[in-house]
Amino acid sequence: MNRRTGISAALTDLLLSPGLDLHEAADRHFAPDYRQRTDGRWDDRDAFLTHIAHLREVVASGTVEVHDELYDGLRYADRHTVHVTKRDGSSVSMEVYLFGEFAPDGRFRRIEETTLMLAGSEADRNLGSAR
């Protein structure tokens, strides 16, 4: 297995590095057959990238705070909080509980996650899957 990615590096490249091309960022951290389930909804890689493209339009800045992280072979689990400031000046904090699987090359192949909004407006509750 090549060097494995982690959620902090992946989210920093995807959401918090506006000068980095979206597809280049995704290729660094997500296998071609990547799929994700967020709060019960499955998306393939294309739908996931549509979601990230939307977030790039909404998010002005932010941080990723990893509380717990576990690597076990091709398995990955973590608990992290994403704190973002939106372009309209409002703030959102989401705690995420995540289980994942790596492809042999160390990129994510699958993530299943549940989100818990810690701060933000009711309209931001679906930010984890908004398009």
Side-chain angles (χ1 to χ4, degrees), residues 39-96:
D39 296 329
R41 176 185 171 158
W42 279 104
D43 285 321
D44 63 13
R45 184 178 159 126
D46 288 341
F48 170 71
L49 291 180
T50 298
H51 162 64
I52 296 300
H54 169 74
L55 289 180
R56 280 182 161 206
E57 294 175 3
V58 173
V59 172
S61 64
T63 60
V64 179
E65 181 181 2
V66 176
H67 308 290
D68 301 292
E69 188 172 46
L70 174 67
Y71 292 88
D72 183 18
L74 293 178
R75 303 282 183 195
Y76 177 83
D78 98 331
R79 181 177 64 91
H80 65 274
T81 302
V82 179
H83 305 279
V84 298
T85 300
K86 294 168 48 179
R87 293 190 191 279
D88 68 6
S90 64
S91 296
V92 180
S93 292
M94 301 284 281
E95 187 169 352
V96 181

